[in-house]
Each structure stands twice: as structure tokens, then as C-alpha cells.
Amino acid sequence: MSDPNSPSAPAPQVLERGDGERLAYHRAAGQLPGVVYLGGFMSDMTGTKALAVEAFCRERGQAFVRFDYFGHGASTGMFTAATIGRWAEDAVAVLDELTEGPQVLVGSSMGGWIMVLAALARRERVAGLVGLACAPDFTEELVWNRIGPEEKAALARDGVYYEPSEYGGPSPITLGLIEEGRAHLVLGAPIALTCPARLIHGMKDPDVPYETSVRLARRLNSVDVTVTLVKQGGHRLSEPEDLARLCATVGALLDDFS
């Protein structure tokens, strides 16, 4: 697997958005269904899982796209100006402009929420879903419902507070992110998707309870849904055995279509 940070690594291509912002992406041509990787909150397209899925797709000759959302990685935009709706629109724009034919969406953490929203917007294009530690509705259930009065006061006063993170510096959480996210909650009602879905979640995930993936499975209208629980797995699921499981899951779903 090539190092995306090495001087010889190819520069990302750019998708122009209508508002002057630009999404950075990498794309590989190949057979259909294609695969689109959707990263997590404050993650970029150079992460271990994105690169592992890309290498797997290239090896089997499958079309593939990975990209950075607005305000992430090599894309333009201020992270604190972003919302769930904006990131879902980014994913739909990638589907519309960078892919053709049926696509399998692979979403990690927040990307699991984005993949559901994108699939709802483009039901005719999405052939399947693969979720890894899916975090639908996290702005409400895992942020707003968990923070204390001091953080809520900071949001009301400043419009932002900074949540400590073990994955790097503090994560800025804006009031706009939480309020706009309420328009995109999916776990409170049946989800009108009938494509196959494969959900993987670590039972020792400290950030997103594994029950979230079980709830998502129940809400999806599809009857072809499986949930794989990894007893010793954490949130990232980036160990070699986790990557092998992820790629095998993607491959098995793609094989079903062939």
C-alpha cells in the first residue's frame, strides 16, 4: 500500500462545488458496482481504512472513490461552518459527478450516518451499504444528550465548545452542527432503504455503543441486513484483522452482485 503522504503520492483531483468550495478526491476506474468510501468526523481520506478498501478494490479491478468532506483534509471550507446536511450533500455530489451505475457505500463512524442519508437521496444508485462503527444521530444522542450544563452554556454563549479527543486535538462542536443535525436524524422511524446492508461494530467501542448498529439494522426496511459484533473491537477497527474483515465483507457483497 502506497504512503499517501510520500512525495511520490499522486495529488488528489478536485470536484468543484457550485458555491466555490472544492472537494479533494482520488478515484480508480473499474468494474461495477463501484465503491465509495465515506470517512468519519474529522477524519480524512488518507486514513488506514480508506486506503485498505482502495487497495482491495484496485486489486480486484473494482471502481472506487474516496474523498474529503467540506472542511476536512485537502478539501476547502471551515470545519466549524460544516453540518451533517452539508456533508451529506457532498456525498451525493460525489455519487452524481464522480461515479456511474450502481455503487456500494462504505461508511465509517459518522460516515455510516452519511451513507444512509446519501442512499436515501439516491436510492436508485445505491446497491449496498457497509457500515463500520456506524454513528447515525450522534450529534443528538452522543453529544447533546451527554454533555453537561457547562458545555451547553458554552454552546449558547459562543456557538462552539471543544470536546477532548483521544485521536488528536480537541474536536470543535458547534451549535449549528447540533441544531442542523436534528433535521437528519434517522433512528426514530423506519428507514426507507431496501438494499443489502452489512454492519460491523466493536463491542468495546468507547465512542459509539455497538447497540447503535443493532438499532440501525432494525430501522432499515431491507430484509438483507447482517450485524457483525467484534467482541474485543474498539471504535477505530483499524488493526490488520479488522481491515481484513472489512475488505472481506465488501468483497462478499460485491460478489453477490456478480
Side-chain angles (χ1 to χ4, degrees):
M1 186 183 301
S2 61
D3 180 357
N5 300 311
S6 71
S8 60
Q13 295 178 274
V14 171
L15 173 63
E16 298 284 348
R17 300 286 270 119
D19 56 1
E21 303 295 350
R22 300 182 301 279
L23 300 182
Y25 70 91
H26 288 278
R27 176 171 56 176
Q31 63 186 1
L32 300 177
V35 176
V36 178
Y37 185 86
L38 304 167
F41 185 73
M42 294 193 74
S43 297
D44 63 37
M45 63 175 169
T46 65
T48 304
K49 293 185 288 289
L51 297 180
V53 176
E54 178 182 36
F56 174 77
C57 288
R58 286 182 180 273
E59 183 176 350
R60 61 178 282 153
Q62 216 82 31
F64 177 82
V65 178
R66 57 184 166 98
F67 71 99
D68 285 332
Y69 306 114
F70 172 93
H72 285 70
S75 293
T76 62
M78 289 182 58
F79 182 84
T80 51
T83 60
I84 298 300
R86 173 69 198 222
W87 293 327
E89 290 172 2
D90 289 343
V92 171
V94 166
L95 276 172
D96 288 348
E97 301 188 44
L98 301 182
T99 73
E100 59 182 19
Q103 300 291 314
V104 170
L105 305 185
V106 180
S108 174
S109 192
M110 181 187 79
W113 188 2
I114 301 300
M115 78 176 180
V116 170
L117 296 174
L120 287 169
R122 294 293 182 269
R123 291 180 180 88
E124 73 285 358
R125 295 288 316 285
V126 176
L129 305 174
V130 177
L132 199 69
C134 286
D137 300 6
F138 82 91
T139 53
E140 193 71 9
E141 296 195 359
L142 304 181
V143 178
W144 182 255
N145 291 347
R146 288 187 175 183
I147 60 177
E150 290 185 7
E151 290 85 357
K152 289 179 178 177
L155 281 169
R157 182 183 65 248
D158 306 323
V160 63
Y161 89 97
Y162 292 87
E163 183 175 274
S165 171
E166 64 179 82
Y167 306 117
S171 301
I173 304 294
T174 67
L175 185 61
L177 176 73
I178 293 171
E179 291 183 337
E180 197 272 351
R182 289 172 180 149
H184 304 288
L185 303 178
V186 297
L187 292 178
I191 300 170
L193 294 174
T194 57
C195 60
R198 307 290 181 261
L199 308 177
I200 305 170
H201 214 123
M203 295 182 74
K204 292 188 175 180
D205 188 334
D207 302 311
V208 183
Y210 70 84
E211 290 87 354
T212 302
S213 284
V214 177
R215 291 169 60 203
L216 176 59
R218 288 176 175 152
R219 286 302 190 188
L220 290 166
N221 282 351
S222 174
V223 296
D224 186 4
V225 180
T226 62
V227 180
T228 300
L229 298 179
V230 183
K231 188 169 185 178
Q232 299 299 318
H235 183 64
R236 283 191 163 183
L237 293 175
S238 293
E239 296 301 318
E241 62 270 23
D242 299 317
L243 301 177
R245 182 187 304 107
L246 171 60
C247 291
T249 301
V250 173
L253 188 56
L254 291 170
D255 289 343
D256 287 345
F257 297 110
S258 64

